[in-house]
């Protein structure tokens, strides 16, 4: 589908972004700056979900399996065209975890094999690897990522130095969920290829956020949720596996042998609603109507709008580099000697502002993630509240 949006007028950008925001029915009595957790969807997506659900409910076995399931192919094609990859390389999953776990559990590893990842990858992915440690006797090695990191090549160098003859897999995020730090995925994927090590990329905060084409990363395994930055229905995600590698990965739930080389084996999950998957289409249409470059620029603009004034404060420490190209529209800051959790609770209870505390052995802070429906006024209000709060410390 194509999305009808008012055209962008560079002299009146806020009129455009207000029109985008009006596509979303969100609770405007609060300021939601935790869109990195999960996002609202635009009205057309919610309506499409409801329509598909209602349609399936009328004659479930017939509509689900004879009508809606074949319609998944249309969505697969749209996702593949957007990402610049082959339609036979895209599976639609229920979230990022499902796609990532298919790779992390599904690639063969033996006792003593090593997996490299970072000290800031997502907890569920770490639990997945740790479960394999307990179950299969593999060894997980984590590489510390500088906070903030100003030079992306430092990260590639650390991975290059950590590879040993026993390294059999690498897991990296494209954008770190804790700080918005960008990871040089293309370089690390090339490093993996050079050493014949599969590199699994967690694209949770990069897909539909950063302006890139999956095809250009030249990686073999990439999974992401679609309910974060694409604003697709909750319970949607995608998994890309390069065609030649599909047969190497066992799916999480068993599929018939004829599907060993078919990307659809990752969708053999038993009875499930098709409505969320089919309603990815209007979410993608909105994303394409806005345009990836414009969306990334807006998310960075929103980040700058709050992060620059806060970064000036003596009591504030930024854990995200604000240098061009270093991070996405997500950023994390700390108020020195203040418990981030207490501040987040206070912001929610007294100011109806939602942000999230981040804790890590090396740092802690407050993560702020606006979305395309966040207004400049909302961001300015957050800044005003924070300036007042810091001045009273
Ligand atoms: C970096 C990262 N990876 C994986 C996930 C898990 O995503 P999902 O809940 O869609 O499985 C998240 C969710 O916040 C995340 O931030």
């Amino acid at each position: 589908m194509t999305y009808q949006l008012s055209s962008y007028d560079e002299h009146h950008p806020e009129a455009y972004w207000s029109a985008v925001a009006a596509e979303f029915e969100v609770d405007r009595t609060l300021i939601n700056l935790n869109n990195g957790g999960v996002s609202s969807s635009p009205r057309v997506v919610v309506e499409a979900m409801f329509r598909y659900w209602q349609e399936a409910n009328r004659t479930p076995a017939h509509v689900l399996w004879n009508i809606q399931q074949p319609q998944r192919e249309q969505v697969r094609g749209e996702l593949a065209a957007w990402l610049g990859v082959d339609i036979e390389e895209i599976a639609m999953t229920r979230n990022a975890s499902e796609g990532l776990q298919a790779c992390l559990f599904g690639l063969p590893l033996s006792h003593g094999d090593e997996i490299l990842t970072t000290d800031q990858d997502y907890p569920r992915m770490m639990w997945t690897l740790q479960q394999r440690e307990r179950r299969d006797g593999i060894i997980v090695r984590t590489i510390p990522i500088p906070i903030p990191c100003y030079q992306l090549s430092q990260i590639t160098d650390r991975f290059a130095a950590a590879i040993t003859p026993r390294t059999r897999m690498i897991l990296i995020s494209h954008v770190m969920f804790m700080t918005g730090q960008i990871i040089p995925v293309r370089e690390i994927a090339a490093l993996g290829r050079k050493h014949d090590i599969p590199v699994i990329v967690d694209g949770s905060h990069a897909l539909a956020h950063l302006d890139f084409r999956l095809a250009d990363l030249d990686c073999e395994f990439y999974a992401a949720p679609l309910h974060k930055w694409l604003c697709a229905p909750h319970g949607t995600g995608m998994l890309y596996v390069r065609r030649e590698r599909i047969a190497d990965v066992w799916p999480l739930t068993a599929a018939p042998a004829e599907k060993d080389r078919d990307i659809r084996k990752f969708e053999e999950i038993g009875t499930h609603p098709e409505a969320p998957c089919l309603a990815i289409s209007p979410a993608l249409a909105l994303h394409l109507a806005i345009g990836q470059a414009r969306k990334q620029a807006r998310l960075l603009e929103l980040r700058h709008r709050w992060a620059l004034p806060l970064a000036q404060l003596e009591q504030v420490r930024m854990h995200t580099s604000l240098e061009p190209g270093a991070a996405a529209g997500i950023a994390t800051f700390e108020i020195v000697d203040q418990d981030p959790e207490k501040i987040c609770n206070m912001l929610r209870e007294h100011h109806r502002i939602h942000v999230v505390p981040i804790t890590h052995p090396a740092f802690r802070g407050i993560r702020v993630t606006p979305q395309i429906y966040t207004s400049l006024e909302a961001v300015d209000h957050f800044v005003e509240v924070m300036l007042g709060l810091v001045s009273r410390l």
Side-chain angles (χ1 to χ4, degrees):
M1 80 170 264
T2 48
Y3 210 105
Q4 298 302 325
L5 260 186
S6 55
S7 54
Y8 185 77
D9 175 353
E10 62 185 48
H11 301 295
H12 302 284
E14 289 321 304
Y16 178 82
W17 291 112
S18 298
V20 169
E23 298 294 306
F24 292 80
E25 268 172 40
V26 298
D27 182 351
R28 303 202 189 270
T29 69
L30 55 80
I31 296 177
N32 178 9
L33 297 174
N34 182 17
N35 294 286
V38 64
S39 180
S40 296
S41 298
R43 191 180 305 106
V44 286
V45 170
V46 177
E47 285 169 0
M49 268 282 288
F50 185 64
R51 227 178 20 252
Y52 288 123
W53 201 288
Q54 222 172 21
E55 182 188 55
N57 195 50
R58 290 197 183 110
T59 335
H62 171 63
V63 172
L64 275 177
W65 298 330
N66 299 334
I67 297 177
Q68 293 189 342
Q69 195 174 312
Q71 289 173 352
R72 289 173 79 90
E73 296 309 312
Q74 169 75 24
V75 180
R76 195 186 314 282
E78 288 171 10
L79 288 172
W82 166 44
L83 301 168
V85 299
D86 195 299
I87 186 170
E88 294 301 322
E89 298 179 314
I90 294 290
M92 281 83 77
T93 58
R94 288 171 289 187
N95 46 50
S97 304
E98 192 171 74
L100 291 164
Q101 287 183 331
C103 301
L104 300 176
F105 281 137
L107 281 161
L109 291 174
S110 313
H111 196 274
D113 285 350
E114 292 176 4
I115 300 193
L116 287 182
T117 186
T118 74
D119 65 342
Q120 290 166 45
D121 267 80
Y122 194 66
R124 185 168 299 102
M125 285 34 266
M126 297 309 294
W127 303 335
T128 307
L129 297 181
Q130 287 155 4
Q131 186 168 301
R132 277 206 91 166
E133 271 189 314
R134 299 198 298 282
R135 189 173 177 179
D136 301 324
I138 62 156
I139 299 157
V140 181
R141 300 207 184 284
T142 55
I143 296 170
I145 301 296
I147 309 152
C149 179
Y150 297 101
Q151 238 187 330
L152 297 195
S153 60
Q154 267 186 309
I155 302 174
T156 316
D157 293 346
R158 288 186 183 195
F159 271 96
I163 289 174
T164 75
R166 309 253 18 191
T167 309
R168 297 283 181 274
M169 190 189 278
I170 292 176
L171 166 70
I172 43 166
S173 292
H174 192 172
V175 166
M176 289 301 193
F177 82 99
M178 289 191 169
T179 60
Q181 171 71 49
I182 294 174
I183 300 294
V185 164
R186 195 182 152 77
E187 289 70 15
I188 296 173
L191 189 67
R193 265 197 316 282
K194 184 171 144 201
H195 293 272
D196 203 17
I197 301 168
V199 177
I200 321 297
V201 185
D202 177 346
S204 292
H205 291 286
L207 197 72
H209 183 153
L210 297 183
D211 183 22
F212 73 101
R213 257 169 43 109
L214 182 52
D216 297 336
L217 296 180
D218 207 5
C219 67
E220 296 176 319
F221 306 94
Y222 193 102
L226 300 176
H227 46 219
K228 287 191 195 285
W229 298 100
L230 191 67
C231 307
H234 304 158
T236 54
M238 56 73 68
L239 168 65
Y240 162 81
V241 180
R242 185 171 286 172
R243 211 167 176 161
E244 312 83 85
R245 301 307 301 264
I246 295 171
D248 299 339
V249 188
W250 291 98
L252 282 179
T253 47
E258 312 85 84
K259 284 201 172 170
D260 275 354
R261 291 173 191 283
D262 186 342
I263 193 77
R264 293 163 192 78
K265 71 181 178 182
F266 298 110
E267 298 173 8
E268 288 287 344
I269 56 169
T271 304
H272 56 274
E274 296 293 352
C277 174
L278 300 183
I280 290 169
S281 222
L284 179 57
L286 174 61
H287 177 76
L288 296 175
I290 294 171
Q292 208 156 259
R294 181 174 295 147
K295 183 165 167 182
Q296 172 181 297
R298 176 62 170 184
L299 292 171
L300 289 173
E301 180 191 3
L302 293 172
R303 184 196 71 181
H304 268 62
R305 184 110 179 168
W306 70 262
L308 289 180
L310 293 197
Q312 308 300 319
L313 302 177
E314 208 180 297
Q315 301 92 325
V316 166
R317 193 170 293 152
M318 288 303 301
H319 294 312
T320 304
S321 164
L322 303 179
E323 296 297 314
I330 299 172
T332 298
F333 70 100
E334 179 177 354
I335 304 177
V336 179
D337 295 333
Q338 299 296 317
D339 179 353
E341 186 144 358
K342 276 197 191 142
I343 294 179
C344 290
N345 290 343
M346 203 259 284
L347 288 172
R348 194 177 54 249
E349 283 158 23
H350 298 298
H351 299 279
R352 294 184 59 73
I353 294 174
H354 285 237
V355 282
V356 71
I358 292 288
T359 41
H360 183 275
F363 71 103
R364 57 186 193 161
I366 296 170
R367 188 186 74 172
V368 181
T369 51
Q371 241 302 8
I372 45 171
Y373 45 74
T374 309
S375 65
L376 295 185
E377 291 75 25
V379 173
D380 291 346
H381 182 64
F382 167 64
V383 172
E384 200 182 299
V385 167
M386 289 311 302
L387 292 179
L389 195 148
V390 171
S391 74
R392 290 192 296 277
L393 291 175

